[in-house]
Each structure stands twice: as structure tokens, then as C-alpha cells.
Amino acid sequence: MKFITSNFVRCAVKSCDGTEGSFPLNFQDCKLQLEEQEFNEEFIISMLERLDWSALVKVASQLGNNAIPPQKPSLDDINEVLLKDLHSLLLETQIIEGKMICDNCQHVYYIKDGIASFLLPPHLAK
Amino acid sequence: MSGSVQPTIEEIQQETEKFHSRGNSKIKESEFVHDVYNEIAQHFSQTRYKPWPIVKEFLETREDKSIGVDVGCGNGKYISINPKLFIIGSDYSTGLIDQAKSLHKGEKCNDIIVADGLNLPHNNDKFEFAISIAVIHHFADENRRIDAIKEILRVLKKGGQALIYCWALEQEKSRRGYKEGMEQDILVPWVLAQKGKKKKDIKEEEEKEVDNVEKPPVKMRFYHLYKNGELIDNCIKAGGKVVKDGYERDNWWVIVEKE
């Protein structure tokens, strides 16, 4: 799973809808791998608008990256170094193994062989 | 025809009775959709590579850099059609997601996860577009099919559009010949290719053991065949606004918008 996807997934349990703990998920015991990707400045800039910045900072720090500015940089503050860092974090960082925990219901989702599974046990699924 | 690999009418009837005897839709889908796709994933994936034109056009006309979901992405044949988008593809079948993962390794414009279309792990109002191609017909009752469309609409932003395809009842010209008036809830056989067996080998075996010829394994998948107007009706019941609809290659399709 690419790091960027952590910004677009939450707990799949319906009763967690809208709760604070269900997004972002709490990433634990993760194994990371870098997979080189072509740098596309425009794509990263356009992503800036779409990303939930505080979720991004939180998950990055759970994965050991504390270098992300705590506030979303404005378009004037952006420089190539920052964009390349973001490119590397968002698209090149693969989470190969790990757990994603919902801080609301404590359900644990697993990432194995690079694939995250959000299937729920029958009693939690609709 | 001797040696036909298709199941007999009796075999299909037997499986159909088994299907109807299952207690609820979840169990039916688990046995007659999820388990089957996991078993046929590799062979199925080999047959799924040609994009359908309307799906391609829908993806090519999304705004550059928009973000979408492909619900029931299978082997991911649509997740890299337009590299200017970012698509999160999901499927219930881990077997199919494994195929997608190996086919789309190293691509930047997508990611792949295992998820249930009725319980998508995404926030509300998050995505600019969605596609769900030949998926919703696998839910075993109408409420679940409508809920699946609701779930797609839930994760779309206001004004976001979803392209949905479902298999049609009206496909008289197709090899399967389903048509108006027929049963809409059906089981469709998938004949697995036999691995590592050449025709010659099979022939030799036949000569040796005539009564014990090994038939290739057949797996039965559940489908609800949509009749004319039904998909539009389901989308309206799900709270969406149908902006375009049509028929292509034995399927009904709609573009449904979140209001």
C-alpha cells in the first residue's frame, strides 16, 4: 500500500462513521519499502489541495518520519526540495507489512505483502 | 457433444437448489461469488484485458489529477487507462487483487486494496469519480444492490459521477442467449482451464480409463441479470441522479451523479 492511500482510508465499520478515531487509522509495526517513481511536480502540487494535512503528518510520524511541516505549506512556500520529499513519501513509500488500528472501535486491519485488507468479520459487516 | 466441458442442465439445477437453500444473501455471495472468484482468479484474469470503450471514454474525460475509486476492480484493467488520474481500486477477492498487484506493479497512478463494496473504507464526500464495472449484479438481493450504489455515492463528492455496469437480461444475440421473460437470478458456469494437461495426454487417459475421464472443474457464479430500466431505478432508489445511460455489450450502464 502506498503512503498516499493512508489519507483516503478509514475504519470500514459503519458505526465508526464520523468518529474522530476512525480517521486516520493508527499505523503500527509497519515495514516500509521505497519503490522509485517518476517525479511529477504538478501531481504533487495538485495533491496538496486534496490531502488532509493533519492526517498526513500523524501517519508519517507513526512511520517514523517527523520531517513533514506541521502546517500545510502554502503555494508560496513550496520549493522543489519539499515537493521531492512529498513525492518520496506519498508515492514511493510502500507499506509492505503492518497493522492499521481504528482508535474508535479498536478493530485491527492488516497489511500483508504490500496489500491492505479492509474486509470485516461477518458480525461487523453490512 | 461428447466431451463437452459445460455442465449439464441437471448439474446447473442441482447447484441452483443448493444456492437457494442458503440462509441469507451474505452466505450466498460468500459461496457463489467470493469463493468462486478466488478459485478462478488466475484464469479469469487472463481473459480480462480489453477495456470497454465507454469505460475508457469515461476515464479519459475525467479532469486531470482527479481522484477516484474503482469498486470491484478485479485484476485492475481500468486503473491505469488514464495515468493523469489517481485511482484506488478495491475488490473483495484477494485472488483477484493478487493478480492486480502483479499486473500493476510500479505504477504511480493507482493503489490497490482488498475491501467490501458494502463497507468501503473511505470517508464520505471524498472522491471526484467512481467506476464499478460488472460488480453490482453479484449482490444477491435488491436491497444489497441498492445499498452498494448508495455506498459508492456516499464516498463521492457532491457533483461527483459514477459509471456503473451490470449484466443485462436482454442479450439475445450473445452466446448465452438470456432474454426477456427468463429468470433474472441465475448461476453462470465458469469452466476452468486444466493446468498442464495437453490434449494428447487427456486422450491417452481416456483410452485407459474410459469411465473415469476427468472433467475440467466448473465453478458457478451468481448473477442478477438486470432488465431494461432496472439499473436506473436502483440508482434513483439509492438517492442518485442518473445523467446518462445506455446498453453496451450485453450490459446496461449508467452515469449516476451525487446531488
Side-chain angles (χ1 to χ4, degrees):
Chain A
M1 176 175 140
K2 292 181 174 75
F3 181 93
I4 187 172
T5 302
S6 72
N7 218 269
F8 296 98
V9 292
R10 66 158 206 198
C11 182
V13 178
K14 290 280 172 235
S15 55
C16 287
D17 188 359
T19 61
E20 210 175 292
S22 64
F23 177 81
L25 293 166
N26 185 348
F27 285 69
Q28 297 297 327
D29 307 327
C30 290
K31 218 162 94 186
L32 308 179
Q33 199 172 297
L34 275 183
E35 189 177 87
E36 210 173 301
Q37 299 280 2
E38 194 191 332
F39 175 58
N40 181 336
E41 191 177 308
E42 278 175 49
F43 180 84
I44 302 297
I45 291 174
S46 82
M47 274 299 149
L48 281 178
E49 286 171 39
R50 294 172 158 89
L51 292 168
D52 181 313
W53 197 261
S54 70
L56 179 138
V57 173
K58 201 169 166 187
V59 177
S61 132
Q62 285 160 1
L63 300 182
N65 180 340
N66 295 305
I68 302 298
Q71 300 299 323
K72 188 189 280 205
S74 72
L75 286 174
D76 304 327
D77 297 337
I78 289 178
N79 56 56
E80 203 179 319
V81 176
L82 179 61
L83 286 174
K84 284 203 163 147
D85 279 353
L86 283 172
H87 165 77
S88 172
L89 176 68
L90 293 170
L91 296 173
E92 296 188 322
T93 306
Q94 295 268 352
I95 307 167
I96 300 300
E97 307 283 336
K99 290 186 219 167
M100 300 169 287
I101 302 157
C102 171
D103 283 336
N104 187 56
C105 73
Q106 307 307 318
H107 189 72
V108 182
Y109 301 91
Y110 290 89
I111 304 166
K112 284 177 188 159
D113 294 326
I115 298 169
S117 176
F118 294 91
L119 297 184
L120 296 168
H123 68 282
L124 290 176
K126 196 169 182 184
Chain B
M1 195 174 82
S2 74
S4 166
V5 294
Q6 290 293 331
T8 62
I9 292 171
E10 289 76 28
E11 282 169 330
I12 294 181
Q13 268 169 0
Q14 232 174 37
E15 285 291 302
T16 307
E17 274 167 34
K18 207 158 100 187
F19 173 81
H20 287 298
S21 74
R22 298 301 182 251
N24 62 49
S25 295
K26 267 193 203 178
I27 298 172
K28 287 174 179 167
E29 290 159 16
S30 157
E31 197 171 331
F32 289 88
V33 181
H34 307 146
D35 288 354
V36 178
Y37 273 110
N38 282 336
E39 284 179 78
I40 70 173
Q42 198 178 4
H43 183 215
F44 179 84
S45 173
Q46 287 161 7
T47 67
R48 294 297 187 279
Y49 47 86
K50 235 178 144 178
W52 291 344
I54 292 172
V55 185
K56 191 164 179 268
E57 193 202 321
F58 178 82
L59 292 170
E60 281 168 349
T61 52
R62 297 306 98 191
E63 208 179 300
D64 283 4
K65 300 173 196 88
S66 45
I67 304 178
V69 282
D70 181 351
V71 178
C73 69
N75 71 350
K77 76 171 178 176
Y78 292 115
I79 61 177
S80 52
I81 294 258
N82 181 351
K84 290 176 179 154
L85 308 174
F86 187 80
I87 297 183
I88 299 182
S90 61
D91 205 284
Y92 199 103
S93 165
T94 47
L96 286 172
I97 288 295
D98 285 341
Q99 297 292 323
K101 186 84 181 166
S102 64
L103 289 169
H104 298 276
K105 208 174 163 43
E107 289 175 2
K108 186 172 66 178
C109 60
N110 56 58
D111 206 357
I112 302 155
I113 60 175
V114 177
D116 176 356
L118 286 178
N119 301 277
L120 290 174
H122 306 303
N123 279 322
N124 308 339
D125 312 302
K126 195 83 181 173
F127 297 95
E128 275 117 8
F129 69 93
I131 61 171
S132 184
I133 309 303
V135 176
I136 287 170
H137 52 217
H138 285 312
F139 288 103
D141 66 59
E142 184 170 43
N143 285 337
R144 288 169 72 80
R145 291 189 287 273
I146 294 170
D147 282 348
I149 299 171
K150 272 187 197 162
E151 187 67 350
I152 292 171
L153 292 170
R154 176 182 73 74
V155 304
L156 283 179
K157 287 181 179 173
K158 272 198 180 122
Q161 293 185 336
L163 174 64
I164 300 174
Y165 265 68
C166 288
W167 220 12
L169 178 63
E170 299 84 353
Q171 41 171 311
E172 268 180 84
K173 285 176 200 137
S174 83
R175 126 187 108 87
R176 301 191 190 268
Y178 302 122
K179 58 173 192 255
E180 214 186 320
M182 280 183 164
E183 172 60 44
Q184 286 179 265
D185 289 341
I186 56 158
L187 295 180
V188 177
W190 180 275
V191 181
L192 276 163
Q194 275 188 308
K195 272 181 224 156
K197 247 184 204 173
K198 288 179 188 137
K199 268 191 183 156
K200 196 178 146 245
D201 299 337
I202 293 174
K203 197 115 196 231
E204 277 170 10
E205 274 174 31
E206 271 175 32
E207 279 163 13
K208 271 186 230 155
E209 272 180 90
V210 182
D211 292 335
N212 195 18
V213 180
E214 214 184 304
K215 268 181 120 181
V218 175
K219 301 290 164 192
M220 301 290 245
R221 279 173 302 164
F222 170 78
Y223 279 84
H224 173 80
L225 300 176
Y226 271 80
K227 59 183 182 196
N228 190 1
E230 190 180 356
L231 181 56
I232 296 175
D233 173 75
N234 280 184
C235 287
I236 294 167
K237 284 183 180 143
K241 179 182 161 197
V242 174
V243 293
K244 217 171 166 188
D245 67 278
Y247 178 91
E248 188 199 31
R249 300 178 187 225
D250 307 326
N251 284 272
W252 295 109
W253 62 268
V254 291
I255 295 178
V256 54
E257 195 172 289
K258 179 164 176 172
E259 286 191 284

